[in-house]
Amino acid sequence: MRPESRIYINTNARGDTFIAKNRQILKSLIKCLEFCGRRGLALRGHRDDDKIQDNTQDYNIGNYKELVKFRAEAGDSVLDDHLKQCAKNASYTSKTSQNELLACIKRFIQQTIVDEVKAQPLGPHFGYQCDEVSDASNWEQLGIVIRYLRDGSPVEKLLEFVQAEETTDSALCGLIVKALTDAGLDIQFGRAQTMDGAGNMSGKNLGCAAQFTRLSPRTVYHYCASHNLNLVLCKCCNVPEIQLMLDSLKQLGIFFKYSPKRSRCLEKAVDEINSNRDVQNKITKQKFKVFCETRWCEKITTLGSFSTMYEPIISCLEEISSNVGRTWDKKAVIDAKGLLTKITDSTFIVSFQTVHNFFGYVTGLSRKLQGSTLDIVEGYKMIDTVKALVKSTRDDETEFDNVFEKATAMAEVADIGGIKAPRRCGRQTQRSNVPADNVQVYYRRAVFLPFLDSMIQQFEIRFGERAVSVVRALALIPNNIHQTTDEAIDDIINYYEVDMPFPDSFRQEFRLWKELWRVQNEKPTTLTSTLTDPRMNRAVTVDALMFDKEASVTTDTQTSCSQESLTDYSQSSCQKEESIYYLNKFLELNRSKPVSCLPTKRWTDYSSKSKNMYVNQIQLITDSVIEFVFPFDTDEVKTSLSLDVPSNR
């Protein structure tokens, strides 16, 4: 009897064909799901309980089903046959199947992220960042982002959104611990956490960060630096004149946003002014946007738009307030007159130019603090630079001269006859009443200096001292290593002793590290550049250089990252090509994945638990190899596969 005609062989062949066909169908469905997910498209339509091939429905069946239908019609014959022939309860396009496929994709992405964290050569250290946000159904969603190192550079990945039924400190801490643990991460390897400054998050004793630190003592809490910068800008704008100016700009944005007719009028004013200008001086913007409520860098963009569109905005408001031909309603005319009076006031103009001038210093800083590649050391350096520059401006009168010059030019555009001081009397409680010899001195004392002093004060309060962890990181960067003191070395040893392979020899290794960079002309200035510098390989044993906080923090959910020690990699004496050869033969017979080499760490770098597990695994493999593979003397094989295990281990 021919082997291919046997029943069980034919049955297996049909089963393999059936499985391959089902996998092809599932692959097509997943591709459609992935397409919608990557582009943020909603999956479901008005109804989701009809067959895709039913052409009688007159309502939207959703993006996902329409895409599946389009794919089948475009030439996917396997998917087309499936949709035509499958049972009603076996199409795998229902909302339940969609949710199951989405859950599978979620688990795959999470596992990929966790594998990258665990694949870090210096250990599965990570930092996490979290923040709450309300979704469309008004449920609190806790977003958790993981930050770790890949190829020496920091990366940030969204791990999960967790629905928070409660927003108390204990409940949020429990959700974070559960999410990290379920994903396969050990919270003991956490090295940093970043949250906002809400009481349930940053409370000293009972906050979410404090409770997590008690569970994982090495996970240091860092307040979001970009959020801190936002608070600096927000608080310094509490000067009454500045606050009124910003409120007027907010009302102006609302005035144009919710009326297409007013927006068209503004666009017409822009076109009329552009018709009398050169190509280089034309206004490129057509719309004036409302102030962003959360991101101050977007408010800076709005300030720039107002400065550019100041002339057409005045022209538009004048047209509406004059109401020639009575084409505008009464409310629009009243609002336009009020806004026109506000934005052509001298105090408004000087306040605007003051804020616009100083916000220019923090624009780049605000944007960089929201990125994912800026480490915490470089971030604090940039903050110190801006803070020092703002302080130096306090005594520099030329800065306000530039501001007043711009304000005068703006007053000429508004045609108000120059900048004028408001009326003053002997006693005033609702506005500034400072003594001054002229208009420029008045506005310098009434607007410029109070705003500047408030900004300096807020910088000192919120960024007065670096975090202790930042000082530690600064001490080990090659560009700063010559400034390291004995007290800093003691602090490093006390804090990082758990992470050091050889804490007793750290002082000697630090001297070698310092000597290595003493003779170098170009030295790295940041943590990232230090770790990616090719000269790192020339260090003898740089076991104690720490990634204290490879950090960049933002208002959404940015955090500090991992803290690790750098060590030299030397192959262990237990690596034997012959052992690898025989070991791979055994693994191949047992349908296991071959290995390229034995572990490359030094034997003394392993913990006692890891050593015992490693020896036990190798012993089991060795016995199996001897029993099933090798035909020659077992003593020779054991000698070939032996490990040089210290007797005290």
Side-chain angles (χ1 to χ4, degrees), residues 438-470:
N438 54 56
V439 175
Q440 184 169 346
V441 174
Y442 171 81
Y443 280 113
R444 186 174 189 273
R445 294 175 179 176
V447 177
F448 184 81
L449 291 181
F451 175 77
L452 188 56
D453 290 340
S454 179
M455 179 178 285
I456 294 173
Q457 182 185 30
Q458 290 299 320
F459 265 115
E460 289 295 339
I461 292 174
R462 301 184 184 279
F463 298 103
E465 296 182 358
R466 289 191 183 92
V468 178
S469 57
V470 178

Side-chain angles (χ1 to χ4, degrees), residues 78-235:
V78 177
L79 180 61
D80 188 39
D81 292 341
H82 166 72
L83 296 175
K84 292 178 179 178
Q85 301 173 7
C86 68
K88 186 176 181 180
N89 61 348
S91 64
Y92 300 102
T93 58
S94 65
K95 58 182 182 296
T96 304
S97 298
Q98 294 174 29
N99 290 336
E100 290 178 353
L101 289 175
L102 287 172
C104 291
I105 294 175
K106 168 193 167 184
R107 288 193 294 269
F108 174 79
I109 294 174
Q110 284 183 335
Q111 189 59 47
T112 302
I113 295 172
V114 172
D115 290 343
E116 288 184 352
V117 173
K118 293 182 178 180
Q120 296 177 103
L122 304 173
H125 302 88
F126 65 92
Y128 80 87
Q129 49 202 355
C130 64
D131 199 4
E132 305 159 51
V133 64
S134 298
D135 59 16
S137 58
N138 208 26
W139 272 98
E140 284 284 347
Q141 299 289 341
L142 180 67
I144 302 175
V145 175
I146 297 298
R147 184 178 170 101
Y148 56 96
L149 295 174
R150 184 171 61 194
D151 299 328
S153 299
V155 293
E156 295 176 357
K157 300 288 186 180
L158 175 64
L159 185 69
E160 188 172 5
F161 274 110
V162 183
Q163 184 170 294
E165 296 185 1
E166 298 181 45
T167 57
T168 61
D169 39 33
S170 301
L172 293 176
C173 181
L175 290 175
I176 295 170
V177 172
K178 185 177 185 303
L180 295 175
T181 305
D182 291 347
L185 294 172
D186 187 352
I187 63 172
Q188 299 304 322
F189 285 103
R191 288 298 179 266
Q193 53 182 328
T194 291
M195 307 168 185
D196 57 26
N200 61 341
M201 290 292 194
S202 61
K204 182 177 180 181
N205 298 316
L206 298 177
C208 175
Q211 295 190 34
F212 193 93
T213 302
R214 283 194 283 271
L215 298 175
S216 177
R218 309 290 293 170
T219 309
V220 183
Y221 168 63
H222 289 269
Y223 185 70
C224 173
S226 186
H227 192 273
N228 240 349
L229 180 63
N230 274 357
L231 293 177
V232 168
L233 300 179
C234 181
K235 295 296 182 181

Side-chain angles (χ1 to χ4, degrees), residues 26 34 48 131 153 257 295 331 375 470 513 529 626:
L26 196 59
E34 181 185 1
D48 197 59
D131 199 4
S153 299
K257 179 178 180 180
R295 295 182 181 272
K331 184 178 185 306
D375 63 64
V470 178
W513 174 249
S529 61
I626 293 171

Side-chain angles (χ1 to χ4, degrees), residues 36 56 59 76 97 109 121 138 168 187 190 198 242 257 328 344 376 405 424 452 532 556 571 581 592 605-606 635 648:
C36 294
T56 60
Y59 49 81
D76 192 335
S97 298
I109 294 174
N138 208 26
T168 61
I187 63 172
I242 303 295
K257 179 178 180 180
W328 297 95
T344 55
I376 194 170
E405 183 179 347
R424 289 172 290 166
L452 188 56
T532 56
D556 295 331
Q571 290 190 342
Y581 172 75
S592 299
D605 287 348
Y606 287 97
D635 293 335
N648 61 347

Side-chain angles (χ1 to χ4, degrees), residues 44-60:
R44 300 166 199 164
H46 180 67
R47 294 286 298 273
D48 197 59
D49 52 2
D50 287 339
K51 294 184 66 175
I52 293 178
Q53 296 295 332
D54 185 7
N55 296 321
T56 60
Q57 69 270 15
D58 56 354
Y59 49 81
N60 179 20

